[in-house]
Amino acid sequence: MRALSRYFAIALTCLSLFVSMAWAQGAQEPDYDAWRKVVDRATEAIDNDRASEAAMDTLREQLVGWRDTFNSESSRTRISVSTLEAQLNRLGPVPEGGEADDIADERRQLQLDLSSAQAPVRRAELASSEAEQLIRSIDVLLRGRQAAMLLELGPIPLNPQLWWPALDQVLDTFRVVALEFQSGWRHERQSHELRHSLPTMLFYLAISFVLLSRGTKWTDAALNLVMRQRPELSAMRWVFAFLLSYGQVVLPMLGVFAFSKAVYATDLPGLRGDVILANLPIMTFELLTARWLGERVFSRVEHPLLSLNLTAADKAKGRRASVGLGAILALSTMLQQLSRYENWTAGTEAVVFCLFTIAAGLFLSRLAILVSRHARTMRKEEDAPLSAVGQLIYMLSRYMILVSIAGTLLSLGGLTRGASYIVFSSVRSVFLVAFLLVAQRVIQKIFAALSGRDSDDEGSLGSVLTGVALSILSLPVFALCWGAQITHLRQGWEALTTGFAFGDLVLAPKTILLLIIVYAIGHTITRLIQSFLRDNVLPKTRLDVGGQTAVVSGAGYVGIFLAALVALSVAGINLSNIALFAGALSVGIGFGLQTIVSNFVSGIILLIERPVSEGDWIEVNGQMGYVRDISVRATRIETFDRTDVVVPNSDLVSNTVTNYTRGNTVGRVIVPVGVAYGTDTRWVEGILREIAEAHPMVLANPGPAVVFQGFGADSLDFEIRAILRDVNWVLTVKSDMNHEIARRFAEEGIEIPFAQRDVWLRNPEVLQSDAPKSPETAAALPKGQDIPSPTPPDFEDLDADGDADGGDAR
């Protein structure tokens, strides 16, 4: 039977190997000959460093494609390698006494197949590593070029000899654009092809004219209508108004697209006109977005989305500065593309972009002044420091001023490219920050609408977390603002999704997300099971309250532990890989966490043995109260003063604990009382017994007892000792009996004495004012002076024995 199962396992293994090999043969292997040609071309381009940036980008894209191909090939062929390795592991090591011939032949064949299967995996991995190295070399080369270009010292723009040639070259560029349109017009008119495209052109021109001329007015009219109907907008209406306001960007953008479509339909634009039309949507977006952000941040309405502590005149300046920055940004985008196509001279670029950099710096500094003025007002009190948000806004304004000054100085000094890069990248970043602030306010309005609130001044936790997530998602956009390439962002995203390796442990965002989701599901199921046990199952059993609490808590611990294990397994994390972390954790437990572990183990012991349960009246370490909660680390006790005392679980296990209500609530009350000497003791005993037996909380079996304790210093001492059905009422019962004792003793004329003390003086003769003068005393006094009258002793001067002179009391 064992041999049959072994042959069956070998058959299945061979079948799986055949399927994997057939799948591998069906897949197309990489063309390594073509790859060697790409490698040679890339190596030559990197060594010579003469290829343009466009050529380098194209070459880099090819290398990335080859790297992905090799990674796919390695993953594909690794399946067969894993299958063969699993088969060898199934066979195990060779026994010391040898093994059967068929097993030995099978082992040798598997080893040969494994060697053959590992060859393509290693080849693909080597090729992938080579591609990765070439990609890094190209990136280093391009970054070096960009840094050299930005730090390159060009002509000084202040040189007047550069001004007129720069103006002529710029005008020549636009004259050539106009000539291209004229040439296209003549060609279209002569070939009679214009009439075929005329209807399409007119259609798109009509749409463009309507959207460009009326789109913004329609949006403003709709906004005014919404704002006029209800000045104090609700949260949902604020969201609607925000979405409606974005029509100021969308509708004109659609008009620009329609205009480009109309011009392209005529085939009139030439090469340079095509450059302008290709960048026209980007220019329009930059201009309209700047204007839209200016209207949102420096709003002119009475109840704005963002409340700035500025005057109406300052807000108008802010709106004009935003539009100015947008216009300069749009024009600079177009001129940068034209300068690359026309190969402007260094002098022309220095003059043109110096003017744009200085103008952008002036508008940026004006915005910085307004932002700084608002930041200074963000104080709760006049002399109080700025809040965290106020400090960030103030630092942003300082940065804007610094960029304006540095960009102007660098541009005038000849570093025109570096200055324009810093200034325009900062302008785009400032606009992005403004958009994030507006978006955060809209998010607060959305959460306020979902919760049914009209006020969102403080914001909810959900809105704050959503804002943080939005800021994190905007990081790639910030990178694009500062010149990052799409390929770099794609590469970073691939590295992020692939994960980071820590030895054999690989952590990827999808792994972490899957881990969190599975654990959250397991935690939720555990809580549901605990609720079902607590509310539906355990109340129907014979377990007491403490036992039910212990079962519910134990189920929670087990469920959370299982949820963590299942989450780790589903996420693909091998538990053996965290052995190193477990060893480090054990060292930490041995040194710094031993108290916490001791309390945790003590909590488990309390839940299992249950010497203390929730609701018990206990006394530990001088603290007395009711047990309200037993957690993993400590137990919470509510004292009779309604204060919570947190007692470590180790104290409940190692120290002496008095549990007054363990098992049942029956307990004893002792009421002491004293009567005056001379009272009939049997009479007093009968009265006290009647009082005890009459109280409803006193058990009849065993009945109460009255004890004659003895002869006290001031009274005859008695005690009522009775068993109560509920010891929690001990103070109330004691108070009731004292009231009844006072009433019955008053009726019967029994005296309850108070403490009495007799004071004996050692020399009582000094208290006599008319004591005779002895001859010795009279001789010791000066002539003519009598013996002074004695003064009664002050009881404050008596010592502990009641003696004024320190003697013994007699």
Side-chain angles (χ1 to χ4, degrees):
M1 189 67 182
R2 182 179 302 175
L4 181 62
S5 62
R6 183 173 61 187
Y7 286 124
F8 181 72
I10 293 175
L12 288 178
T13 302
C14 294
L15 180 62
S16 63
L17 179 62
F18 174 77
V19 172
S20 62
M21 292 178 64
W23 179 77
Q25 291 177 358
Q28 186 177 2
E29 294 184 355
D31 188 355
Y32 287 98
D33 294 333
W35 162 244
R36 296 315 309 172
K37 295 179 181 179
V38 175
V39 171
D40 295 338
R41 188 168 67 253
T43 304
E44 183 180 359
I46 294 172
D47 293 339
N48 295 332
D49 193 11
R50 294 179 180 177
S52 63
E53 290 187 9
M56 283 293 187
D57 289 337
T58 303
L59 185 58
R60 188 184 187 281
E61 288 291 338
Q62 293 179 1
L63 292 173
V64 170
W66 279 103
R67 184 193 61 186
D68 296 340
T69 301
F70 294 138
N71 290 334
S72 301
E73 175 67 12
S74 177
S75 301
R76 181 178 63 84
T77 54
R78 192 181 294 276
I79 297 175
S80 59
V81 174
S82 301
T83 303
L84 293 171
E85 289 177 348
Q87 294 170 5
L88 286 173
N89 293 331
R90 182 71 176 177
L91 291 177
V94 179
E96 295 181 357
E99 59 185 358
D101 294 338
D102 54 347
I103 301 300
D105 295 338
E106 182 68 23
R107 186 187 302 275
R108 284 192 297 271
Q109 185 63 38
L110 289 176
Q111 290 175 348
L112 291 175
D113 294 340
L114 180 61
S115 300
S116 301
Q118 286 177 343
V121 175
R122 293 172 181 172
R123 188 177 184 182
E125 290 178 349
L126 290 175
S128 177
S129 300
E130 188 176 11
E132 184 67 29
Q133 187 61 38
L134 291 173
I135 291 171
R136 292 179 181 176
S137 300
I138 291 177
D139 291 339
V140 171
L141 181 62
L142 293 178
R143 284 195 295 267
R145 285 184 181 183
Q146 186 178 11
M149 181 187 66
L150 295 178
L151 298 176
E152 181 182 0
L153 185 63
I156 305 299
L158 295 177
N159 186 2
Q161 296 179 357
L162 301 177
W163 296 352
W164 293 112
L167 180 60
D168 290 339
Q169 194 167 13
V170 173
L171 293 178
D172 287 342
T173 299
F174 286 101
R175 278 195 292 266
V176 172
V177 173
L179 288 175
E180 288 180 347
F181 272 91
Q182 291 177 3
S183 301
W185 176 263
R186 294 193 192 99
H187 174 73
E188 292 289 333
R189 188 177 59 181
Q190 291 175 0
S191 61
H192 302 287
E193 294 181 0
L194 184 62
R195 59 186 179 183
H196 297 292
S197 59
L198 186 61
T200 304
M201 180 192 67
L202 293 178
F203 173 74
Y204 283 116
L205 280 178
I207 295 176
S208 173
F209 176 77
V210 172
L211 292 177
L212 290 175
S213 61
R214 307 299 301 177
T216 304
K217 294 182 179 179
W218 289 344
T219 304
D220 293 340
L223 283 175
N224 292 331
L225 180 62
V226 173
M227 302 293 285
R228 192 183 307 114
Q229 286 182 352
R230 187 179 178 185
E232 295 291 341
L233 293 178
S234 63
M236 203 60 202
R237 291 171 66 88
W238 267 117
V239 175
F240 176 72
F242 170 78
L243 297 177
L244 186 63
S245 69
Y246 206 70
Q248 298 175 347
V249 178
V250 175
L251 295 181
M253 279 288 298
L254 294 177
V256 171
F257 276 114
F259 176 78
S260 300
K261 200 72 173 176
V263 177
Y264 276 123
T266 62
D267 290 334
L268 294 179
L271 297 178
R272 295 165 184 82
D274 184 70
V275 172
I276 295 176
L277 289 176
N279 288 276
L280 187 60
I282 300 176
M283 297 164 52
T284 307
F285 176 78
E286 291 175 341
L287 176 60
L288 294 177
T289 301
R291 178 180 179 274
W292 179 78
L293 287 174
E295 290 290 341
R296 304 284 78 73
V297 177
F298 304 98
S299 180
R300 66 184 74 199
V301 299
E302 184 178 357
H303 301 282
L305 187 65
L306 287 177
S307 299
L308 297 184
N309 298 322
L310 299 174
T311 62
D314 289 338
K315 291 183 179 181
K317 294 179 182 179
R319 292 192 295 270
R320 289 194 293 268
S322 299
V323 174
L325 271 179
I328 293 173
L329 193 61
L331 290 175
S332 67
T333 300
M334 181 186 67
L335 292 178
Q336 283 178 358
Q337 298 298 326
L338 288 176
S339 66
R340 293 178 181 177
Y341 188 84
E342 290 293 319
N343 292 324
W344 285 355
T345 63
T348 301
E349 289 186 357
V351 172
V352 172
F353 292 110
C354 178
L355 293 176
F356 279 92
T357 302
I358 294 175
L362 290 176
F363 285 117
L364 191 62
S365 61
R366 182 172 297 180
L367 283 179
I369 293 173
L370 296 176
V371 172
S372 176
R373 190 175 299 170
H374 166 69
R376 292 193 185 95
T377 62
M378 298 179 65
R379 291 186 173 92
K380 296 182 178 180
E381 297 180 0
E382 185 175 357
D383 298 333
L386 285 175
S387 61
V389 178
Q391 292 179 3
L392 291 176
I393 295 177
Y394 184 77
M395 291 172 60
L396 178 63
S397 65
R398 298 296 94 185
Y399 171 76
M400 294 163 63
I401 292 177
L402 179 62
V403 167
S404 303
I405 297 174
T408 302
L409 295 178
L410 291 176
S411 181
L412 294 176
L415 293 173
T416 309
R417 292 181 177 177
S420 61
Y421 169 77
I422 294 174
V423 171
F424 290 117
S425 298
S426 299
V427 169
R428 293 186 178 93
S429 299
V430 169
F431 282 153
L432 183 55
V433 170
F435 176 79
L436 291 177
L437 291 175
V438 175
Q440 176 63 26
R441 287 294 296 164
V442 175
I443 291 172
Q444 292 179 1
K445 298 292 185 182
I446 293 175
F447 275 89
L450 294 177
S451 60
R453 294 182 292 108
D454 288 340
S455 176
D456 62 325
D457 295 335
E458 297 181 358
S460 61
L461 179 60
S463 64
V464 174
L465 295 179
T466 307
V468 172
L470 183 63
S471 301
I472 295 175
L473 294 177
S474 66
L475 293 179
V477 184
F478 276 107
L480 292 175
C481 293
W482 286 89
Q485 300 295 328
I486 299 295
T487 55
H488 299 159
L489 297 179
R490 187 184 300 116
Q491 183 180 2
W493 175 253
E494 291 176 356
L496 183 63
T497 53
T498 303
F500 303 94
F502 300 93
D504 295 335
L505 181 63
V506 179
L507 291 180
K510 61 180 181 181
T511 303
I512 298 175
L513 182 61
L514 182 62
L515 178 67
I516 294 174
I517 292 175
V518 174
Y519 178 77
I521 294 174
H523 188 273
T524 303
I525 294 175
T526 301
R527 295 308 182 200
L528 291 176
I529 292 175
Q530 284 184 296
S531 300
F532 181 73
L533 290 175
R534 183 174 52 250
D535 300 333
N536 301 99
V537 178
L538 295 177
K540 299 178 182 179
T541 63
R542 297 181 180 181
L543 288 176
D544 56 2
V545 178
Q548 296 177 13
T549 304
V551 171
V552 171
S553 300
Y557 296 147
V558 174
I560 291 175
F561 179 72
L562 293 178
L565 289 181
V566 172
L568 292 173
S569 301
V570 172
I573 299 177
N574 191 357
L575 298 180
S576 61
N577 292 331
I578 61 175
L580 180 62
F581 299 99
L585 182 62
S586 63
V587 174
I589 291 173
F591 285 99
L593 302 179
Q594 53 184 349
T595 302
I596 297 177
V597 174
S598 175
N599 289 326
F600 177 79
V601 174
S602 300
I604 300 298
I605 294 174
L606 290 177
L607 292 175
I608 295 175
E609 294 186 354
R610 295 189 291 116
V612 174
S613 303
E614 291 186 12
D616 287 353
W617 173 16
I618 68 172
E619 181 179 1
V620 58
N621 293 338
Q623 299 290 338
M624 182 183 295
Y626 292 103
V627 177
R628 295 306 185 192
D629 180 55
I630 301 176
S631 62
V632 176
R633 189 193 66 84
T635 298
R636 182 171 60 89
I637 298 176
E638 181 183 355
T639 65
F640 300 119
D641 297 332
R642 298 298 182 182
T643 58
D644 287 342
V645 177
V646 179
V647 180
N649 289 332
S650 58
D651 291 349
L652 295 175
V653 174
S654 59
N655 294 343
T656 301
V657 179
T658 303
N659 195 332
Y660 293 96
T661 58
R662 177 61 181 168
N664 55 66
T665 58
V666 176
R668 188 174 68 173
V669 63
I670 299 176
V671 182
V673 64
V675 298
Y677 276 91
T679 308
D680 187 356
T681 56
R682 294 296 181 181
W683 182 31
V684 173
E685 181 180 354
I687 294 175
L688 295 179
R689 189 182 303 277
E690 293 177 1
I691 293 174
E693 292 175 349
H695 199 283
M697 289 298 295
V698 176
L699 292 178
N701 186 19
V706 178
V707 179
F708 181 19
Q709 280 291 98
F711 303 92
D714 304 307
S715 63
L716 301 174
D717 297 330
F718 291 83
E719 281 185 357
I720 298 177
R721 297 188 177 188
I723 303 300
L724 305 181
R725 66 181 75 255
D726 191 349
V727 75
N728 293 300
W729 294 85
V730 62
L731 294 179
T732 303
V733 172
K734 193 171 184 178
S735 177
D736 294 342
M737 288 187 178
N738 284 329
H739 282 296
E740 187 64 18
I741 289 171
R743 186 185 68 81
R744 289 290 303 274
F745 281 11
E747 291 179 356
E748 302 293 340
I750 300 174
E751 179 184 359
I752 300 177
F754 50 84
Q756 301 179 7
R757 293 293 181 269
D758 293 336
V759 179
W760 291 78
L761 299 179
R762 185 174 186 178
N763 300 318
E765 64 274 6
V766 299
L767 298 178
Q768 300 177 5
S769 60
D770 56 348
K773 300 178 182 178
S774 63
E776 293 82 0
T777 304
L781 293 174
K783 188 177 180 180
Q785 184 175 351
D786 296 333
I787 297 176
S789 301
T791 303
D794 192 352
F795 284 99
E796 293 180 357
D797 298 332
L798 297 177
D799 56 6
D801 295 328
D803 194 357
D805 57 358
D808 297 332
R810 294 288 188 265

